[in-house]
Amino acid sequence: MKTKRLYKTGRIAIACMIFVMSFAFIPANAVSGETEEAALVVGIPVDRCPIFYEDPVTGEAVGIGVDLMRSAAQEAGFTPVFRPIGEETLKEALDHPEYDVIMPFGSDIPSASGKPSIVSDNLMQTPFTLVTEGSRILPPLNHLHVGMLASQAGVAETVRESYPGVEISLYETMPDCVRALRSGGVDALLYNSYVWNYVLQKPSYGDLVVQPSAMFSMDFRAGTLNTPEGQAVIERLNQGIAALTEHQRQAIILDYTSRKLYRYDFSDYLYQYRLILLAGLIIIALVIVIAVQRVRSEQKLHEQTIQQMMDKDPLTGLLSMNGFRKRVEELLRAHPDTPYFLSYNNIRDFKYINDSLGRDAGNALLKFWAEKSLENLSEEEAIARVDADHFAVLRLITVDEQMREDERNVFLPIQNFFINQGIETRVQICSGIYVLTPKDFKEIDVDHMLDLARVAEKRIRDSRKGAFQFYNPEQWKKGKRIAEIINYLPEAISSGDIRVWYQPQVDYEKGQIIGAEALCRWDHTKLGWLYPFDFIATLEEAGLIFDLDCFVWETVCKDLHRWNASGNRRSVSVNVSRDDIRKDYDIAEHFYRLIQTYDLAPDQLHIEITETAYVENSEILIDATERLRAMGFLVEMDDFGSGYSSLHMLKEVPVDRIKLDLHFLTSSGDAEKSRTIVSCMVQMIRMLGMEMIAEGVETAEQAAFLKDKGCFEMQGYYFYKPMPVEEFEKIKTGDPIDIH
Ligand code: C2E
Ligand code: MG
Ligand code: MG
């Protein structure tokens, strides 16, 4: 206790003593002198509303405990001063001389330093209640594991004394307590009921349930160290406590418990309105998503519109050059085996129409053209206005008469557009046609194709001929033929329309048949009999020759196998296209597999490789030739004399036999000179020690000449023409030559 002593003058001191002595009960620790109410410093915790807490407005300590103590202290003649304790526990606060008394205590527990304490009479019975997560039936308290606040260590000690079996865990904060309860760390939480009344107002603790059955009471006392001074204070305080009526106590308790003291903090608001917040957030998120999507789709639409504007011609609604390019690429990719042509169309003297009849009339004509063309186009075709009066059309090649039909259905009405309106102006159209080749489908270059069509169109325009001379018939025919050959090949191979014919080869000196060359023929469903000249180059261009050759080679091997089996051993020369000899086709391996399959000797196959192939692709060819020969095949250089580097090649290429092409050597120029050339060539080949055969021998004179010069092996119409296999089978190797 801090007693204020006034040391005044002696006169005043005496007066004071007289005054003090006039009272019957003077507190033992009161100092004689002029009476002043003694201040009583009460140490209290402030973390347990509504017992002890700080008023949020004034910052003063308030609460049930404060009011009760104030009333009791005042009754005892003290002026109470409430001071929040800075120590962790009440026990520690007991050791602190700053406080006269500390509260609340249930009983006189020793201080933290072990000094004995003394407590006042009971200020009130404090109900203590257990709280659980959800309602549940609890065993008696002495079988429970309960959680309490660490600041309630004193109470915990009292509880342990009263309920020996109870297990108590202390936690620093109420959220820690609740977390322990929710996680099953403790069975229940124990706390002052009045404080529960406050704590459970927190929205997020809505799942915590007070267990009324488990209620018990604790005393609520003030305590201090058990010293003479302490005893005096407690004694005097007890007088004040005794003076408190039950009414006063109840009024104070009711005052605090009936008030809504709990103040929401931010987290409480968050919890309380979580659903609304969540809904709000979802709505906001949705609004954002919808807005973003809308902006995106608008952007896309905008881009599409711009794209469409770029791809479309605003006047006629047809494709623009840009759109046409895209559409043609699409169509050619989707229909790679379909015959198409591309036309470039132009109105002759359109400027004159515009100038004389007006722009509107010109525009009307362009629109009419668009209309008429669209009427005649299918889904797989495309039309564009690529420039003022220039139209580009991608059209399927269907019937032979297609151009005439287009003329009738589209061009004639356009031509008569003004005449039908009574205006004496005939519209003239120039049209250039480009028929697509297989290469155009592989490397699609719309601009290039259009350029070619434009060249044709310009030719028509420059010729100033009639408007209907609008396509290049040669190119048209060629295109159609290409389409017919390429598209029909797979079917022709499988259905047997491709046949292998044989042309016998002879030794003229011995007068015997020595072998044959296999030559293919095509009995085309639509085009009739076709000779290699009609389709080999086209198939080479389309990259399909290997398919045909594989078929021919296999057919020859089958025939050889059959002849071997019937005791008619023969050897046959087969042709190899320059296109078959590439890095990725291993023809040596291919032939080797064939003779294995059909059980043939390799020298039964003579592989003819044309001389020009050696010139174009010498490295790969020399390599292939060496591999073939190493396997036992005989390799022949075909068409010798038709190429450019014949003499040089003879030195470089390791072939077994040279096939002199008499046709190339003798068909033109001075006959005498031709003979000299042939004679020299034969002589040279002989001097090089190589074998040779002359092909294209048509007359007895040619045969005699060759024989005379030392070339004995021959092949030609003079002896035999290529014949179907059935006919060839009648002839045997070694048979005498039958010259008709
Ligand atoms: P090639 O290999 O030089 O074949 C000889 C060609 O000359 C054959 O023409 C044959 O019919 C023809 N011929 C034979 N004797 C005479 C004659 O006395 N006078 C004339 N004017 N011609 C004669 P064909 O069968 O039309 O073959 C032409 C070319 O087509 C062949 O020339 C060959 O390069 C190629 N060929 C033929 N069949 C195939 C094949 O299955 N695959 C490949 N890749 N090419 C082949
Ligand atoms: Mg040949
Ligand atoms: Mg030849």
Side-chain angles (χ1 to χ4, degrees):
M1 178 183 82
K2 301 284 175 271
T3 308
K4 292 181 182 168
R5 291 189 172 90
L6 297 173
Y7 300 99
K8 296 190 178 172
T9 61
R11 200 160 50 87
I12 294 168
I14 293 160
C16 286
M17 280 176 74
I18 294 164
F19 175 78
V20 169
M21 283 167 73
S22 66
F23 290 92
F25 51 95
I26 303 170
N29 59 346
V31 184
S32 34
E34 206 176 279
T35 356
E36 260 186 51
E37 265 196 342
L40 183 71
V41 178
V42 184
I44 53 163
V46 285
D47 61 348
R48 50 198 71 174
C49 187
I51 308 283
F52 297 111
Y53 66 100
E54 279 174 341
D55 187 297
V57 182
T58 63
E60 277 177 26
V62 289
I64 297 171
V66 170
D67 282 11
L68 278 174
M69 188 52 165
R70 182 176 285 118
S71 303
Q74 281 171 352
E75 290 284 353
F78 288 118
T79 304
V81 177
F82 292 92
R83 194 160 293 166
I85 58 168
E87 295 72 19
E88 294 242 312
T89 64
L90 297 183
K91 287 173 88 172
E92 281 173 35
L94 272 177
D95 283 325
H96 209 289
E98 191 192 347
Y99 317 109
D100 295 324
V101 288
I102 316 289
M103 55 188 307
F105 283 106
S107 56
D108 53 348
I109 52 168
S111 75
S113 65
K115 291 177 191 153
S117 72
I118 178 176
V119 289
S120 71
D121 289 343
N122 193 14
L123 277 151
M124 65 167 173
Q125 277 304 112
T126 322
F128 267 71
T129 326
L130 286 172
V131 159
T132 54
E133 193 193 13
S135 46
R136 42 182 290 213
I137 297 161
L138 286 178
L141 194 53
N142 47 9
H143 289 102
L144 278 181
H145 181 186
V146 298
M148 292 182 73
L149 278 177
S151 62
Q152 296 263 287
V155 181
E157 234 167 86
T158 314
V159 173
R160 272 194 202 104
E161 274 168 30
S162 315
Y163 301 93
V166 73
E167 190 188 338
I168 300 177
S169 297
L170 299 176
Y171 300 97
E172 284 307 312
T173 62
M174 182 52 78
D176 291 342
C177 288
V178 174
R179 223 170 286 130
L181 177 68
R182 285 185 175 146
S183 65
V186 294
D187 300 321
L189 298 177
L190 182 62
Y191 211 179
N192 185 315
S193 306
Y194 300 138
V195 184
W196 275 141
N197 181 41
Y198 170 82
V199 169
L200 295 183
Q201 288 175 38
K202 187 172 178 68
S204 58
Y205 293 169
D207 58 334
L208 303 187
V209 173
V210 174
Q211 296 284 331
S213 57
M215 239 161 95
F216 71 98
S217 285
M218 291 271 296
D219 291 348
F220 189 78
R221 300 164 188 268
T224 186
L225 289 181
N226 193 353
T227 59
E229 265 194 343
Q231 286 167 13
V233 172
I234 294 296
E235 203 174 302
R236 185 170 162 188
L237 193 57
N238 281 347
Q239 288 168 17
I241 293 170
L244 280 183
T245 65
E246 192 53 31
H247 266 96
Q248 271 177 295
R249 286 193 175 93
Q250 290 306 322
I252 288 169
I253 292 169
L254 193 65
D255 180 24
Y256 281 94
T257 52
S258 60
R259 281 192 237 165
K260 186 142 175 64
L261 294 171
Y262 187 81
R263 283 171 183 274
Y264 276 23
D265 60 16
F266 182 64
S267 67
D268 291 330
Y269 282 115
L270 273 184
Y271 185 84
Q272 180 80 355
Y273 299 111
R274 63 192 184 283
L275 291 178
I276 297 174
L277 271 172
L278 190 69
L281 281 175
I282 291 172
I283 291 170
I284 291 170
L286 275 176
V287 168
I288 291 172
V289 169
I290 291 169
V292 167
Q293 277 193 339
R294 211 182 162 131
V295 168
R296 271 198 200 150
S297 64
E298 268 171 20
Q299 244 171 12
K300 209 169 166 186
L301 207 74
H302 185 64
E303 278 165 17
Q304 273 173 356
T305 318
I306 290 179
Q307 194 58 49
Q308 268 172 10
M309 278 163 65
M310 280 170 67
D311 291 351
K312 283 258 160 125
D313 163 40
L315 176 71
T316 58
L318 297 180
L319 293 169
S320 64
M321 184 58 222
N322 203 36
F324 185 69
R325 208 176 279 123
K326 283 191 208 164
R327 183 70 188 136
V328 171
E329 283 174 9
E330 244 172 54
L331 286 170
L332 298 192
R333 254 183 225 115
H335 309 283
D337 302 323
T338 316
Y340 272 113
F341 72 84
L342 212 144
S343 72
Y344 192 86
N345 311 279
N346 184 3
I347 298 172
R348 178 169 285 169
D349 298 331
F350 186 64
K351 191 177 173 316
Y352 164 77
I353 293 172
N354 269 340
D355 289 349
S356 59
L357 305 175
R359 279 190 78 80
D360 286 349
N363 286 348
L365 172 65
L366 296 176
K367 284 187 200 166
F368 181 72
W369 186 330
E371 243 170 66
K372 278 280 134 201
S373 301
L374 284 176
E375 276 172 22
N376 287 275
L377 288 191
S378 73
E379 288 277 300
E380 289 85 44
E381 295 169 312
I383 177 165
R385 187 168 80 110
V386 295
D387 200 7
D389 59 329
H390 299 188
F391 290 80
V393 182
L394 178 77
R395 194 99 160 88
L396 286 165
I397 300 174
T398 48
V399 289
D400 284 349
E401 286 306 298
Q402 183 170 353
M403 282 316 193
R404 296 290 147 209
E405 276 184 25
D406 282 356
E407 228 176 270
R408 203 166 43 247
N409 298 334
V410 183
F411 292 96
L412 258 175
I414 296 169
Q415 196 184 25
N416 294 329
F417 179 70
F418 293 116
I419 293 176
N420 290 341
Q421 294 172 40
I423 304 163
E424 268 311 307
T425 301
R426 184 175 291 270
V427 178
Q428 287 199 340
I429 298 167
C430 301
S431 199
I433 300 283
Y434 174 71
V435 179
L436 274 63
T437 64
K439 200 171 153 222
D440 294 319
F441 290 82
K442 281 190 211 141
E443 297 151 28
I444 303 171
D445 185 346
V446 181
D447 293 85
H448 175 69
M449 293 185 260
L450 264 184
D451 279 347
L452 297 179
R454 201 179 285 141
V455 168
E457 178 271 326
K458 190 171 180 303
R459 229 180 285 138
I460 302 282
R461 197 153 26 99
D462 291 348
S463 71
R464 307 239 27 120
K465 284 192 188 143
F468 292 124
Q469 205 183 3
F470 58 83
Y471 70 89
N472 177 344
E474 255 170 54
Q475 202 180 11
W476 170 256
K477 271 190 205 145
K478 192 179 154 206
K480 255 176 70 65
R481 196 163 187 101
I482 288 171
E484 276 158 353
I485 285 169
I486 290 166
N487 297 342
Y488 282 77
L489 181 73
E491 199 201 309
I493 288 178
S494 62
S495 66
D497 287 351
I498 307 271
R499 313 270 166 79
V500 177
W501 284 23
Y502 292 91
Q503 183 177 28
Q505 296 172 340
V506 301
D507 185 322
Y508 188 50
E509 197 194 24
K510 292 183 185 157
Q512 280 178 347
I513 292 168
I514 53 168
E517 178 177 8
L519 298 158
C520 66
R521 301 285 180 266
W522 184 345
D523 187 7
H524 198 285
T525 328
K526 211 165 157 211
L527 307 174
W529 277 102
L530 298 180
Y531 288 80
F533 172 78
D534 301 317
F535 55 87
I536 297 276
T538 305
L539 292 179
E540 280 176 342
E541 203 182 322
L544 295 172
I545 189 70
F546 191 63
D547 294 355
L548 174 104
D549 281 346
C550 283
F551 171 76
V552 172
W553 301 336
E554 181 144 23
T555 310
V556 169
C557 287
K558 281 182 190 165
D559 288 346
L560 284 171
H561 175 80
R562 201 175 58 252
W563 297 326
N564 280 355
S566 64
N568 252 321
R569 193 175 188 283
R570 295 168 209 237
S571 58
V572 170
S573 300
V574 291
N575 288 286
V576 169
S577 159
R578 72 198 71 188
D579 245 55
D580 299 332
I581 303 168
R582 292 203 221 119
K583 277 205 177 82
D584 46 340
Y585 299 155
D586 187 350
I587 57 154
E589 182 62 32
H590 187 93
F591 279 116
Y592 189 73
R593 253 183 280 122
L594 275 178
I595 58 162
Q596 295 277 319
T597 310
Y598 293 100
D599 195 19
L600 304 174
D603 66 348
Q604 287 190 272
L605 274 187
H606 298 197
I607 319 288
E608 289 193 7
I609 303 173
T610 184
E611 182 216 49
T612 43
Y614 283 100
V615 181
E616 288 161 7
N617 232 342
S618 49
E619 242 174 69
I620 302 170
L621 254 157
I622 291 171
D623 182 58
T625 305
E626 276 168 353
R627 280 172 56 71
L628 283 165
R629 293 186 69 215
M631 289 175 179
F633 297 105
L634 291 172
V635 181
E636 303 185 350
M637 188 189 282
D638 199 358
D639 306 326
F640 187 77
S642 65
Y644 307 99
S645 325
S646 312
L647 300 178
H648 169 70
M649 276 297 125
L650 279 184
K651 186 163 63 79
E652 297 291 323
V653 185
V655 293
D656 296 290
R657 189 160 73 159
I658 302 287
K659 224 174 162 187
L660 267 180
D661 191 326
L662 213 61
H663 184 69
F664 275 105
L665 293 169
T666 57
S667 61
S668 60
D670 187 314
E672 192 46 46
K673 280 183 185 166
S674 292
R675 272 205 296 278
T676 311
I677 290 172
V678 173
S679 150
C680 288
M681 275 192 170
V682 170
Q683 203 177 342
M684 186 176 63
I685 294 167
R686 283 185 61 197
M687 283 167 78
L688 286 171
M690 298 173 98
E691 293 193 11
M692 74 183 112
I693 179 167
E695 65 176 327
V697 182
E698 291 180 341
T699 61
E701 292 74 46
Q702 284 174 334
F705 175 77
L706 286 164
K707 185 179 158 195
D708 184 44
K709 298 296 164 198
C711 173
F712 306 124
E713 294 184 359
M714 298 178 204
Q715 173 187 342
Y717 293 170
Y718 172 61
F719 306 103
Y720 297 98
K721 286 194 169 174
M723 56 187 81
V725 65
E726 302 80 30
E727 213 172 299
F728 177 62
E729 278 182 338
K730 293 176 193 155
I731 305 169
K732 291 191 192 71
T733 303
D735 279 359
I737 305 165
D738 177 17
I739 300 171
H740 306 284

